[in-house]
DNA sequence: TTATTATTGCTAATAGTTATTAATAAGAAA
DNA sequence: TTTCTTATTAATAACTATTAGCAATAATAA
């Protein structure tokens, strides 16, 4: 069933990318990462970014966030927390609450086996309110 | 700021689509709707489906569900409930719990103004477990 | 150092969705 | 009912985000 997993190599590109993701509180998309790595890797390809995001995600080092009608974002903060998506400016914010922690650990999920839980609030952010 | 809204016309296509969405417990994507309307509207265009989904969404009659690395799904059940996404078969299930109701009404969202809340559990569904 | 092969950069391809436009039809007015 | 207005349609093209294919490169083990 499971494929014979090939030994991962710790490439400069992927290492750098994870550090970059860890260093920001934003929730960047693939293109932001690409642009912010070009300084260090002038010949970087966008597909390398996508490929490595997939690897980091499957390793559980990074979380992929999808939101309606927009591109995917990535978050290297894998602690249990929710997100707030502003439909005006399309920014994604962290939201810390006790709910999702309760949710993941206690929820009755209709017989399915939940492994993770994504809670996303949508509305208008503080900045756009004023 | 707000555009002068033009008067909506109640087209057969959109009416039929909403009924179709209401009649199913699946969470279909645009293409499923397209295929299941072809019988009634042989000359139907996929872009008509997308356009009307957008209209229904902005009217609050339909909820759009995004999930990592997959197409958008639509749900005409706009009661407060969560979803379970199976990463094996990519099906989307309804999950009824008290959490999201508490969440939307009580949560402290870091100063942002939440209007809605999407809770998605991810894992392996009952069917795929066996 | 050498050999192995995972990963890269490049390019092309794909999936899903949105934009354009002339023709059609829903609803208002006559 | 008939006529008029214009929102909506079907058809198509375009677009954006993402993935696939492949020869060249470089990370690790021997």
């Amino acid at each position: 069933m499971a494929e014979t997993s090939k030994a991962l190599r710790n490439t400069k590109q992927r290492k750098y990318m994870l550090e970059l993701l860890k260093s920001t509180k934003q929730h960047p998309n693939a293109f932001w990462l690409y642009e912010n790595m070009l300084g260090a890797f002038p010949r970087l390809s966008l597909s390398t970014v996508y490929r490595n995001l997939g690897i980091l995600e499957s390793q559980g080092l990074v979380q992929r966030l999808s939101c309606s009608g927009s591109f995917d974002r990535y978050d290297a903060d894998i602690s249990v927390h929710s997100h707030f998506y502003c439909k005006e400016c399309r920014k994604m914010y962290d939201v810390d609450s006790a709910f999702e922690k309760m949710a993941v650990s206690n929820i009755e999920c209709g017989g399915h086996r939940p492994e993770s839980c994504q809670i996303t609030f949508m509305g208008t952010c503080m900045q756009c309110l004023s």
Side-chain angles (χ1 to χ4, degrees), chain A residues 4-69:
Chain A
T4 38
S5 60
K6 30 185 194 171
L8 281 179
R9 288 178 187 173
N10 204 10
T11 63
K12 285 180 258 165
Q13 287 90 336
R14 187 158 63 242
K15 227 184 299 181
Y16 190 97
M17 208 170 91
L18 184 56
E19 286 317 306
L20 194 56
L21 261 170
K22 278 183 177 167
S23 74
T24 178
K25 278 287 182 189
Q26 308 184 44
H27 301 78
N29 61 351
F31 192 71
W32 184 95
L33 288 165
Y34 171 69
E35 281 189 314
N36 283 272
M37 287 178 70
L38 272 183
F41 304 91
R43 314 197 57 192
L44 182 72
S45 166
L46 191 52
S47 71
T48 297
V49 174
Y50 277 108
R51 219 172 346 188
N52 281 325
L53 281 172
I55 292 175
L56 291 174
E57 191 191 5
S58 72
Q59 291 181 301
L61 296 172
V62 148
Q63 198 188 359
R64 191 207 294 224
L65 310 170
S66 296
C67 41
S68 293

Side-chain angles (χ1 to χ4, degrees), chain A residues 25-27 65-67 73 83-86 90-94 120-121:
Chain A
K25 278 287 182 189
Q26 308 184 44
H27 301 78
L65 310 170
S66 296
C67 41
R73 287 135 218 269
H83 293 99
F84 183 89
Y85 173 69
C86 177
R90 297 185 149 200
K91 278 206 197 91
M92 186 79 93
Y93 299 85
D94 286 319
T120 309
F121 295 91

Side-chain angles (χ1 to χ4, degrees), chain A residues 92-111:
Chain A
M92 186 79 93
Y93 299 85
D94 286 319
V95 174
D96 233 336
S97 86
F99 282 112
E100 67 276 10
K101 297 180 182 69
M102 289 161 62
V104 199
S105 48
N106 301 325
I107 200 143
E108 174 44 51
C109 223

